[in-house]
Amino acid sequence: MKFDLVKKILASVAACAMIASMTACSSKDTAVIGGADGPTEIVITDEESSADAVAENSAEESTEVSAEDTVDPDDISNYIPKPQAGDDDFYALFKTNDIDADYLETSKTATAAVAGIRAGNECAERWMAQVQISLDELDTLDASVAEEQRKSQENWEKTLDKKRDAAKENLTTQGSVQNIEMAFNVMLLYRERAAEVLYEVYKLNGEVNVTAGTGEAVG
């Protein structure tokens, strides 16, 4: 059975939040989930980001998660789904990308819900940037393919709000941790699109270079 990424991340955040709440407190924090029409700010109060709130909303998942503890925590393929674009050879190169690795590392050490949200938001922004980087690379490899992908990008952006709405309707959590899941789902939308463009580059030069935000702190 495929490992459930969201449940693992939420359980990790809940556990860390319990520890962090003993020594830290804050009245308010914010996170932003991006969309085609601009960012949407989510305000997280101390009540929503407290250990009790996170733990309560993650309690139902804890039993299922513990049964999967033997899964290698450093294998990204166990946590973040395989993109639809590309073949197995492409994915073997794609899955070593730094954006996924940074998201996983930040999520595993998150001490509050807002940190999980920020991890998703920041990685989504990096995937957005990667789309443009890869489109520019296509310009140097094959102008006709680049033009096709730029048109595809325009069409994708027109449907982004509908995709985000669909992701919101399929949320599996409640309370403040819903925002972690939503940020994760939005990140996957941008990641999937980036993978599509990266695959076009791969077909031309056999390389998968995910460079957006490399070396920058995340979370």
Side-chain angles (χ1 to χ4, degrees), residues 87-144:
D87 52 25
D88 289 342
D89 290 338
F90 166 78
Y91 181 62
L93 297 174
F94 175 86
K95 77 175 196 175
T96 63
N97 72 80
D98 288 340
I99 302 179
D100 282 350
D102 287 345
Y103 177 77
L104 181 58
E105 183 61 30
T106 302
S107 296
K108 287 194 301 181
T109 58
T111 57
V114 70
I117 297 167
R118 284 175 175 159
N121 291 339
E122 292 177 10
C123 287
E125 291 176 0
R126 290 171 68 182
W127 284 121
M128 289 170 60
Q130 185 60 49
V131 170
Q132 187 57 56
I133 291 171
S134 297
L135 287 173
D136 291 344
E137 188 172 3
L138 279 178
D139 283 331
T140 67
L141 295 170
D142 190 318
S144 63

Side-chain angles (χ1 to χ4, degrees), residues 1 3-4 18 27 36 44 53 57 76-77 80 82 95 98 109 112 128-129 132-133 136 152 167 172 185 191-192 198:
M1 181 181 294
F3 190 75
D4 191 325
M18 290 178 189
S27 60
I44 298 185
N57 286 297
I76 289 172
S77 64
I80 303 182
K82 188 181 203 178
K95 77 175 196 175
D98 288 340
T109 58
M128 289 170 60
Q132 187 57 56
I133 291 171
D136 291 344
S152 294
T172 62
N185 289 344
R191 178 179 180 266
E192 185 66 43
L198 282 161

Side-chain angles (χ1 to χ4, degrees), residues 28-45 48 114 117-118 121 125 164 168 176 179-180 182-183 186:
K28 181 184 294 185
D29 212 333
T30 60
V32 175
I33 292 178
D37 296 327
T40 299
E41 184 177 82
I42 297 173
V43 178
I44 298 185
T45 64
E48 291 174 325
V114 70
I117 297 167
R118 284 175 175 159
N121 291 339
E125 291 176 0
R164 292 179 70 250
K168 187 174 182 179
S176 62
N179 296 332
I180 300 175
M182 186 61 187
V186 171

Side-chain angles (χ1 to χ4, degrees), residues 85-86 130-139 141-157 190 192-204:
Q130 185 60 49
V131 170
Q132 187 57 56
I133 291 171
S134 297
L135 287 173
D136 291 344
E137 188 172 3
L138 279 178
D139 283 331
L141 295 170
D142 190 318
S144 63
V145 174
E147 180 61 23
E148 289 176 359
Q149 285 302 309
R150 290 187 186 281
K151 289 180 180 178
S152 294
Q153 180 64 18
E154 291 177 2
N155 292 331
W156 182 86
E157 290 173 358
Y190 290 112
E192 185 66 43
R193 176 57 190 148
E196 292 173 359
V197 186
L198 282 161
Y199 183 52
E200 294 303 317
V201 173
Y202 169 78
K203 289 191 294 185
L204 293 170

